[in-house]
Amino acid sequence: MPIDEVIRARLLEREAVVDELRRYAERLRERLGKVTVILYGSYARGDFNLWSDVDAVVVSERFAGVDFVVRCVELSDAPPRLEPICWTPEEALKALAKPWWREALRGAVVIVDDYGIARLLEA
């Protein structure tokens, strides 16, 4: 397969993942109310491979008081390979104050941002 076809196929695959995550974010809004969903990692950067998972931060007030591991139960209908980090808005603000999370989220794709958290990525 010529390289331009390979590149086009990879771009289409990345686009499909972003679109699927957008549709899922809308379903989460219906169920959880306000949410912020941010795609990061290899799919956001475009350097994913066959074994890559889909890394995303999911922020919702509904996670407050819920054990960190149990939060993902709310996301049991997630798209295949989604590896979510589930934070409350307060936890997201604390995490984004840490340099290593800011680095991890460099080049992230904001899917939805009801909490206005993405502005912190630009600062």
Side-chain angles (χ1 to χ4, degrees):
M1 179 183 296
I3 190 71
D4 61 330
E5 287 181 32
V6 171
I7 292 170
R8 188 176 10 255
R10 289 186 59 79
L11 288 172
L12 288 173
E13 182 178 348
R14 180 180 180 273
E15 228 176 89
V17 166
V18 169
D19 288 344
E20 182 176 37
L21 199 51
R22 281 198 175 100
R23 288 189 300 276
Y24 184 62
E26 288 306 316
R27 291 197 311 270
L28 286 177
R29 274 181 166 160
E30 291 171 10
R31 201 167 62 237
L32 302 177
K34 289 171 49 172
V35 295
T36 288
V37 178
I38 300 172
L39 175 68
Y40 71 99
S42 61
Y43 272 96
R45 291 187 307 266
D47 60 357
F48 58 91
N49 62 48
L50 185 60
W51 302 277
S52 294
D53 53 15
V54 178
D55 300 302
V57 170
V58 178
V59 180
S60 172
E61 296 166 349
R62 295 274 300 269
F63 297 142
V66 179
D67 184 68
F68 194 75
V69 175
V70 175
R71 294 173 184 184
C72 290
V73 171
E74 287 281 349
L75 307 180
S76 61
D77 63 336
R81 298 181 303 164
L82 181 66
E83 290 292 330
I85 301 292
C86 302
W87 288 330
T88 65
E90 296 77 20
E91 291 167 338
L93 293 176
K94 281 183 185 178
L96 292 177
K98 297 177 180 172
W100 58 273
W101 262 114
R102 293 179 63 74
E103 181 62 29
L105 293 173
R106 185 194 319 253
V109 176
V110 178
I111 304 298
V112 295
D113 189 17
D114 295 335
Y115 291 105
I117 291 170
R119 65 180 158 65
L120 299 174
L121 300 175
E122 299 165 3

